[in-house]
Amino acid sequence: MQVELLLHVRLIPQEIESAMRNAGIHADSLLEVRRMYNAVGIDVSKGKSTIAVLQPGGTVIRKTFDVSHTSQNLNELADYLSSLDGTTKIVMECTGRYHEPMVKALSEAGLFISIVNPHLIKNFGNNSLRKVKSDPADARKIARYTLDNWTELRQYSGMDNTRTQLKTLNSQFSFFMKQKVAAKANLIALLDNTYPGVNKLFNSPAREDGSEKWVDYAYSFWHVDCVRKTGLKAFTVRYEAFCRKHHYIYQPSKPEELFNASKELVAVFPKETSYKLLIQQSIQQLNLASAHIEQLRREMNALASTLPEYEVVMGMYGVGKTYGPQLIAEIGDVSRFTHREAITAFAGVDPGVEQSGQHNSKSNKASKCGTGRLRKTLFQVMTTLLQNAPENEPVYQFLNRKRSEGKPYYVYMTAGANKFLRIYYGKVKAHLRSLEQNE
């Protein structure tokens, strides 16, 4: 029996069992093989998980059961799974942050854990006409996936503390950025009824603290009558005081320009206290979101600078103090990817394949199975390349060639992101390898 097992170590449990049955091995030996493999499928949800334990041939070790995410229950589950005879592999889906307490408890117990993309589980084993969607059914489905993919399962390796912090900061950065965009759109909508076009009066860039000149100006001069009804002389004095208060450079010609422009504007809302309150509160919300974003941006850059690939990533064209830390946060440790195609599939920018008979499609949609935040950052880097048009940059040359061929926007942007990731993988991998050799 030992010889037969060694000859088939690369096979999945069902294949080992079939080979032994064909070789005429005794039923007791087959039963022993079945007991050697324990497939644990865990369907994770908020606050609790559903567990199914199967062996080859569909043998149920224990009826599907629920475990709440408390310290005592998770430790009891780890003890139970550790007590099972034979090799035990645990598989669960990557479900945001819900799976992390379970992963932490089981990994600390020294158990084999594999975290898989939910897309793989969804498309697995749909061989029934009945549509069943329940936690026990999903847990059994994950357990069957574990058995069928036994040798291909990759053991989970948690990120170090720095990368975990960086990814959490990037998640919050994305959250506050959405709030800032919504707050700015709301503010402009209000100001279009009191001071139309005020957001286009200044072209000064945002400061390091996130504040913008037109926003500060709108807080003091929230209605067009605050400018034109006071007279040019009085407005000039007020505008000069505004510049001193907020530390802006005063331009003597600017007050007259603003005053004359205000005469042609039409305000829908009258100059009343209630509208002033709404606008100033909106500005305060916008400034608060901007301050949070800039603080997170600084913290992310400082944290990313401690990682070994930081200098290499920051040296790539189109990557700055915002996009660099975001890329590092979402991609994580490059060494966990075995080849370039793995990192493009992780980002969801890999082209699909559509071929049947004589039909072979040359243009297919991207899979989009990866993280949306990473794809967004990649598209922003591509936009930077297109805006600056560096002639000697390979990614820009590739983008420009695809665009000149008449490819649709999403096609050439996704293709550019794919090429950028391949270069990213090669450069970072080579840098990490050189650091290992120097050590």
Side-chain angles (χ1 to χ4, degrees):
M1 176 181 173
Q2 292 178 352
V3 174
E4 292 292 333
L5 287 178
L6 288 173
L7 291 174
H8 296 89
V9 290
R10 296 295 298 173
L11 301 178
I12 62 176
Q14 290 90 329
E15 292 174 333
I16 295 176
E17 183 178 336
S18 176
M20 293 180 66
R21 186 181 292 108
N22 294 336
I25 296 178
H26 195 269
D28 292 340
S29 298
L30 289 174
L31 183 59
E32 184 178 346
V33 171
R34 288 182 179 179
R35 290 174 178 170
M36 291 176 62
Y37 300 95
N38 305 302
V40 182
I42 301 181
D43 183 65
V44 183
S45 57
K46 185 176 182 179
K48 80 173 183 71
S49 295
T50 304
I51 292 88
V53 186
L54 301 180
Q55 286 183 344
T59 304
V60 179
I61 301 302
R62 179 176 174 180
K63 187 178 179 180
T64 305
F65 59 98
D66 292 338
V67 172
S68 59
H69 293 179
T70 63
S71 177
Q72 180 180 351
N73 289 343
L74 291 177
N75 289 334
E76 290 176 356
L77 175 64
D79 293 339
Y80 166 71
L81 296 177
S82 299
S83 67
L84 295 175
D85 295 332
T87 304
T88 301
K89 290 190 177 183
I90 304 164
V91 171
M92 64 187 79
E93 297 174 312
C94 181
T95 54
R97 309 303 293 268
Y98 295 159
H99 67 286
E100 292 183 355
M102 180 70 70
V103 171
K104 184 175 186 295
L106 298 183
S107 60
E108 289 178 353
L111 293 164
F112 181 100
I113 305 171
S114 182
I115 310 297
V116 300
N117 193 313
H119 187 73
L120 297 176
I121 302 297
K122 181 180 179 181
N123 293 335
F124 170 77
N126 292 326
N127 58 348
S128 175
L129 296 178
R130 296 180 62 225
K131 184 177 181 180
V132 180
K133 180 68 178 74
S134 66
D135 290 345
D138 290 343
R140 289 191 293 269
K141 186 176 183 180
I142 297 172
R144 292 197 305 272
Y145 174 89
T146 306
L147 288 173
D148 282 5
N149 297 274
W150 188 270
T151 57
E152 286 78 23
L153 294 175
R154 296 183 60 188
Q155 187 165 7
Y156 171 81
S157 58
M159 292 188 295
D160 57 58
N161 187 46
T162 302
R163 294 188 186 277
T164 303
Q165 289 183 57
L166 189 59
K167 190 166 185 178
T168 305
L169 286 170
N170 189 42
S171 175
Q172 292 300 300
F173 181 90
S174 177
F175 171 76
F176 283 113
M177 182 61 76
K178 291 177 182 177
Q179 284 194 331
K180 178 179 178 178
V181 171
K184 182 176 287 189
N186 178 65
L187 174 61
I188 293 174
L190 286 173
L191 287 170
D192 281 345
N193 292 290
T194 60
Y195 201 147
V198 66
N199 57 305
K200 298 179 180 179
L201 294 177
F202 304 94
N203 54 11
S204 303
R207 290 177 166 177
E208 291 187 358
D209 60 354
S211 62
E212 297 181 69
K213 187 172 183 179
W214 76 266
V215 176
D216 294 335
Y217 176 82
Y219 190 89
S220 299
F221 306 96
W222 63 275
H223 198 280
V224 70
D225 288 344
C226 295
V227 178
R228 62 190 180 192
K229 289 292 182 68
T230 58
L232 177 58
K233 186 176 181 180
F235 172 69
T236 302
V237 174
R238 290 189 60 193
Y239 179 78
E240 187 175 0
F242 158 78
C243 291
R244 284 199 305 270
K245 178 182 178 181
H246 295 279
H247 306 288
Y248 290 116
I249 297 175
Y250 173 71
Q251 298 175 335
S253 61
K254 194 65 177 179
E256 184 176 359
E257 178 185 336
L258 295 173
F259 183 81
N260 293 332
S262 68
K263 295 178 180 179
E264 305 297 326
L265 300 177
V266 177
V268 178
F269 294 160
K271 186 182 177 183
E272 295 182 359
T273 307
S274 59
Y275 295 121
K276 179 181 180 180
L277 178 65
L278 288 174
I279 290 172
Q280 291 188 341
Q281 283 183 338
S282 297
I283 291 175
Q284 290 171 357
Q285 291 177 351
L286 176 59
N287 287 336
L288 185 61
S290 299
H292 284 321
I293 288 171
E294 296 308 316
Q295 186 176 1
L296 288 171
R297 199 194 308 270
R298 290 191 295 270
E299 183 65 23
M300 287 174 61
N301 190 55
L303 204 59
S305 64
T306 63
L307 296 172
E309 68 266 33
Y310 177 77
E311 294 298 334
V312 175
V313 176
M314 296 299 288
M316 299 180 69
Y317 197 96
V319 177
K321 293 184 177 180
T322 298
Y323 300 152
Q326 288 179 347
L327 286 171
I328 296 173
E330 293 302 324
I331 294 174
D333 187 3
V334 172
S335 60
R336 63 197 176 106
F337 299 106
T338 56
H339 50 279
R340 294 179 299 178
E341 288 74 15
I343 194 172
T344 57
F346 175 77
V349 294
D350 54 324
V353 177
E354 184 182 347
Q355 185 273 332
S356 178
Q358 296 181 355
H359 171 73
N360 189 5
S361 178
K362 296 182 179 179
S363 179
N364 300 305
K365 295 181 180 179
S367 64
K368 293 187 179 180
C369 293
T371 166
R373 285 198 295 267
L374 176 55
R375 286 195 299 277
K376 179 181 178 181
T377 303
L378 289 170
F379 267 54
Q380 289 171 328
V381 174
M382 296 304 103
T383 302
T384 302
L385 286 167
L386 290 174
Q387 290 174 345
N388 293 281
E391 295 182 359
N392 297 325
E393 174 59 36
V395 179
Y396 170 73
Q397 293 173 353
F398 179 77
L399 272 172
N400 196 38
R401 185 170 71 251
K402 292 295 180 183
R403 185 172 58 173
S404 62
E405 291 174 358
K407 300 290 185 182
Y409 171 79
Y410 284 107
V411 171
Y412 66 75
M413 290 291 278
T414 303
N418 186 302
K419 186 175 182 64
F420 177 87
L421 270 184
R422 288 167 176 263
I423 296 175
Y424 180 101
Y425 175 84
K427 287 186 174 181
V428 174
K429 197 88 169 181
H431 178 68
L432 296 178
R433 196 180 299 114
S434 67
L435 291 179
E436 291 178 359
Q437 293 174 352
N438 292 334
E439 291 178 357

